[in-house]
């Protein structure tokens, strides 16, 4: 914007103010413009989530998105965006860092375990709390 501000005419002072304000923020403020096809705004990001939810509903045949979308949404969204941009081969997938993958799997298992505990509590709160109390005492 600073290179093209002379073309802005009367908006010249507004561009100066914009440059001054954004300069005070961190260096990655406009990181979205460095990556092709990356969502630029919250609306674009919401659209990406909406597309994922829509495809999940179509794949499962359910009217609502599955609960796994809440638990594994970060992984599913990244996969959906990545496969839209690039067709992956088996050799691409073989280059994944195993340690990072195992760490992600353990995080997902913790979320899954927490969801199971919530379900058990909702189904029978007295039995759940009695079991919890017996383990603590």
């Amino acid at each position: 914007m600073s290179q093209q501000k002379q073309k802005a005419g009367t908006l010249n002072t507004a561009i100066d103010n914009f440059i001054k304000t954004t300069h005070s923020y961190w260096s990655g403020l406009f990181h979205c413009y460095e990556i092709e096809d990356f969502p630029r705004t919250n609306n674009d990001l919401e659209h990406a989530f909406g597309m994922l939810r829509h495809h999940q509903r179509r794949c499962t045949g359910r009217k609502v998105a599955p609960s796994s979308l809440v638990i594994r949404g970060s992984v599913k969204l990244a996969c959906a965006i990545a496969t839209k941009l690039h067709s992956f081969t088996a050799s691409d997938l073989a280059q994944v860092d195993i340690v990072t993958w195992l760490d992600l799997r353990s995080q997902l298992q913790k979320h899954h375990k927490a969801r199971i505990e919530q379900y058990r509590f909702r189904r029978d709160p007295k039995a759940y709390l009695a079991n919890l109390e017996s383990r603590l005492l």
Side-chain angles (χ1 to χ4, degrees), residues 1 31 45 55 61 87 90-91 131:
M1 290 181 77
H31 180 67
L45 195 56
H55 289 296
S87 182
S91 61
N131 183 22

Side-chain angles (χ1 to χ4, degrees), residues 5 25 50 55 59 68 70 76 81 95 106 116 132 137:
K5 75 178 183 178
Y25 293 109
H55 289 296
C59 290
S68 66
V70 174
K76 289 183 176 187
I81 291 173
Q95 297 173 8
S106 82
I116 290 172
L132 188 61
L137 298 178

